[in-house]
Amino acid sequence: MAEATEIRLEPAGRTFRCPVCLETFKNPKVLSCGHSFCLEPCLTHVKDNENFLKCPECRVATQIPSDGLESLPTNFSLLRAINEGPVSVPDRKVCDEHKKVLQLRCYTCEKDICSDCLENGHSSEEHDTDASRVIDVIGPVRRTLEDFHRMMSEKLAAVVDSEAAEEHKRIKTAQSIERSAELAMCNIHDMKNALLQNLNDISEADAQQFVVEKMRYQSLMDNAEELRNRVNSLADAMDSRELERLDDRKYIERAVVSLYNKVIPAYERPIPKKTKVVVFIPNKFTADIGELKIAPRPPPRTPPVAKIREY
């Protein structure tokens, strides 16, 4: 029986420790970047928000499933490695003819072979070997990857076209909103001008009445001032014994009576008021220029699944 050799899964002196808590992994969860961390308490404490989680090592964002962090994939390989410890495997056998490690299997001859055996009696064209099976898998896998690349290229081009179309729609929508807002402001401006013009038209007729009344009172004040000056002149004449001015007394008396008959009715006359009372009652006005609506998106299309030969 071949002697067993111990193969360590990690370098000597190192254990399977979580990079956050520095303790042995407990329920390790794998992020989209490939790094693993303990679910509790490490990932729950570093969670940024309800939708995304940034890797504590590389800062790559991982979308959190709707069911929570518990739905992230578990690193079962890491758990098995922790639970099983060091793995022992037997020493590799060597080909008796070519003195090389027996890395392959010839299923036609039902024996282990080395790489040189493929060129000497176990060719892939004539025998069913691990190498021939790999060659058989390469073709479908390569075609599958080419199909994937083509589908992703088409999808990327469609996304770019969709992005350009959406940007064009956004610009057109923004322009439409601008035009609607400008039209609404023009309408409001026209309404304001119409209200002010109507107010001016209503007030213009009443304004004439105030002008007439002011002229009347000013005229009476001018007459009274003229008569007062004449009375003062007559008083000065009397002081100077200018007896030829005695006849001015009768004129002044008649003028005072006449002015008194005009002033008293004017004084008792009520202050003129506008014939119409103008009151502005503002409306609770909101400029309604439209609304934005979001149309539903079509359901996503599921890509075809490539079939690969199994052995």
Side-chain angles (χ1 to χ4, degrees):
M1 181 176 180
E3 182 180 356
T5 302
E6 183 180 79
I7 299 179
R8 300 186 62 88
L9 296 178
E10 287 197 345
R14 183 181 176 186
T15 58
F16 298 99
R17 297 182 182 274
C18 173
V20 175
C21 63
L22 301 180
E23 296 182 0
T24 303
F25 281 103
K26 299 180 293 293
N27 192 9
K29 295 294 183 178
V30 184
L31 304 184
S32 59
C33 58
H35 293 128
S36 299
F37 303 93
C38 298
L39 175 61
E40 292 286 349
C42 304
L43 290 182
T44 55
H45 285 177
V46 300
K47 183 174 66 171
D48 297 322
N49 53 57
E50 297 298 328
N51 298 322
F52 292 95
L53 170 68
K54 289 185 179 179
C55 174
E57 290 195 19
C58 64
R59 309 305 295 169
V60 173
T62 298
Q63 185 172 4
I64 300 177
S66 58
D67 297 339
L69 294 173
E70 293 79 3
S71 298
L72 289 173
T74 302
N75 194 334
F76 292 105
S77 300
L78 183 58
L79 284 178
R80 284 195 298 269
I82 295 173
N83 295 330
E84 295 175 0
V87 180
S88 297
V89 296
D91 288 338
R92 295 188 176 184
K93 297 180 180 180
V94 178
C95 177
D96 296 333
E97 181 178 357
H98 303 104
K99 307 304 179 184
K100 290 187 176 182
V101 177
L102 301 176
Q103 297 176 304
L104 306 172
R105 178 72 176 177
C106 179
Y107 299 98
T108 302
C109 301
E110 295 185 356
K111 61 180 296 187
D112 296 330
I113 60 176
C114 67
S115 58
D116 288 350
C117 293
L118 291 175
E119 307 297 332
N120 297 277
H122 299 276
S123 63
S124 299
E125 291 80 6
E126 300 176 356
H127 290 250
D128 181 13
T129 64
D130 289 331
S132 64
R133 293 188 177 186
V134 170
I135 294 174
D136 292 340
V137 170
I138 288 175
V141 169
R142 181 178 294 165
R143 289 191 296 271
T144 300
L145 294 178
E146 291 175 354
D147 291 340
F148 285 168
H149 185 272
R150 175 185 54 79
M151 288 189 295
M152 293 303 100
S153 298
E154 294 175 354
K155 183 63 70 174
L156 177 59
V159 170
V160 172
D161 294 341
S162 179
E163 181 185 21
E166 290 298 326
E167 179 63 16
H168 179 72
K169 290 180 181 178
R170 187 195 65 79
I171 295 175
K172 299 294 288 184
T173 303
Q175 293 174 349
S176 178
I177 293 175
E178 291 285 348
R179 287 194 298 269
S180 298
E182 291 175 359
L183 179 60
M185 288 188 289
C186 290
N187 291 336
I188 294 174
H189 183 72
D190 293 342
M191 292 169 58
K192 179 197 73 173
N193 292 338
L195 287 171
L196 293 176
Q197 183 62 43
N198 190 22
L199 176 62
N200 293 335
D201 294 342
I202 294 173
S203 302
E204 185 176 357
D206 292 329
Q208 296 298 325
Q209 182 180 356
F210 290 106
V211 173
V212 172
E213 292 295 327
K214 288 190 295 183
M215 292 177 61
R216 176 185 290 112
Y217 295 131
Q218 186 64 47
S219 177
L220 292 175
M221 290 176 61
D222 293 342
N223 292 338
E225 183 65 22
E226 181 183 356
L227 186 56
R228 183 171 61 179
N229 292 335
R230 194 159 183 171
V231 170
N232 292 335
S233 177
L234 180 59
D236 293 340
M238 292 299 99
D239 291 340
S240 302
R241 297 296 187 267
E242 296 179 10
L243 300 179
E244 65 274 8
R245 299 278 304 272
L246 293 176
D247 291 339
D248 288 349
R249 174 182 62 84
K250 295 181 179 180
Y251 170 78
I252 291 174
E253 290 176 350
R254 289 193 299 268
V256 169
V257 172
S258 176
L259 182 62
Y260 184 83
N261 292 332
K262 293 179 180 179
V263 169
I264 295 302
Y267 183 77
E268 295 178 349
R269 182 186 182 92
I271 300 299
K273 296 182 179 180
K274 298 178 66 174
T275 57
K276 297 178 182 179
V277 178
V278 179
V279 179
F280 176 67
I281 303 176
N283 294 329
K284 295 180 180 179
F285 176 75
T286 301
D288 186 5
I289 62 175
E291 61 179 344
L292 287 175
K293 292 185 177 180
I294 300 177
R297 294 288 184 183
R301 184 178 66 87
T302 303
V305 179
K307 295 183 179 179
I308 301 177
R309 177 183 176 186
E310 297 181 356
Y311 294 94

